[in-house]
Amino acid sequence: MKIISNSAKQTRKVGAELGWLAKAGDVILLEGGLGVGKTCLAQGIAHGLGIDGYVISPSFVLLREYQGRLPLYHIDFYRLDRIEEVAYLGLDDYLYGGGVCIVEWAEKGLGMLPGEHLLIKMQHIAPAKRKLAFYPEGPRYEEMLSQLKLTRSVARK
Ligand SMILES: Nc1ncnc2c1ncn2[C@@H]1O[C@H](COP(=O)(O)OP(=O)(O)O)[C@@H](O)[C@H]1O
Ligand SMILES: [Mg+2]
């Protein structure tokens, strides 16, 4: 499934919908270059999980933890140089824990991340336009996507 978002606000709305639907143990992987809107989508997910306050990019600390309806573990591999580093970080407690995991720059850690996940590839189309392509891996994420109710302003492509 692919959608087009025409503003940061729309991207946050899509995120909030995912946050609403999220269950304990869910893993959401985000791919796409700098400034494409990964953190923006993560902010929406946090909002949907009932997390108040501003969710910032954890780029400089690798992981930030928030408490909402479920715990949110917001991971960012931006500063990761080698995939082997993932193994040393001890992230499995988070990735296979009882919270919701969001991983920015997931392409840097693929192979070390859970095989069952929702992958969202984001692409820059125009200054305020982004394409979001959803790749569910596993029945849980097929279910999650089938429940996603997008507002009419977000075009399904
Ligand atoms: N449709 C859109 N979706 C998401 N962000 C958008 C969109 N249009 C413009 N933006 C802007 O792009 C930037 C995305 O930044 P950010 O979410 O931090 O990106 P990333 O985490 O991928 O590096 C923000 O300044 C946001 O306001
Ligand atoms: Mg970011």
Side-chain angles (χ1 to χ4, degrees):
M1 186 189 76
K2 294 187 171 91
I3 60 172
I4 296 287
S5 160
N6 290 299
S7 67
K9 192 176 166 191
Q10 277 186 9
T11 297
R12 280 193 204 95
K13 258 192 180 167
V14 173
E17 189 74 39
L18 291 170
W20 256 109
L21 296 170
K23 289 184 182 169
D26 280 351
V27 175
I28 300 174
L29 307 183
L30 307 181
E31 289 187 12
L34 203 62
V36 81
K38 300 180 296 298
T39 299
C40 182
L41 187 66
Q43 287 164 351
I45 295 170
H47 184 73
L49 282 166
I51 293 159
D52 298 323
Y54 197 61
V55 169
I56 60 166
S57 176
S59 291
F60 296 97
V61 294
L62 198 94
L63 184 140
R64 274 180 200 274
E65 190 173 339
Y66 299 89
Q67 189 61 52
R69 173 172 68 77
L70 296 165
L72 170 64
Y73 307 118
H74 187 186
I75 297 170
D76 193 331
F77 284 160
Y78 179 56
R79 285 161 62 88
L80 203 70
D81 293 322
R82 291 177 301 115
I83 191 173
E84 297 80 48
E85 291 177 43
V86 179
Y88 298 114
L89 292 168
L91 293 175
D92 282 6
D93 289 348
Y94 300 100
L95 292 168
Y96 300 94
V100 174
C101 248
I102 303 174
V103 184
E104 293 193 38
W105 290 97
E107 56 268 58
K108 291 193 179 201
L110 283 184
M112 305 297 248
L113 295 168
E116 299 222 342
H117 57 245
L118 175 62
L119 170 63
I120 306 173
K121 292 190 185 188
M122 301 183 70
Q123 219 181 314
H124 191 290
I125 306 284
K129 205 167 175 170
R130 306 289 189 268
K131 184 155 102 182
L132 279 67
F134 294 77
Y135 302 92
E137 289 293 337
R140 158 65 191 136
Y141 301 97
E142 301 270 3
E143 173 201 63
M144 194 182 195
L145 271 196
S146 72
Q147 291 170 344
L148 195 64
K149 288 190 196 67
L150 297 169
T151 54
R152 260 172 301 166
S153 57
V154 182
R156 215 184 260 263
K157 283 208 62 172

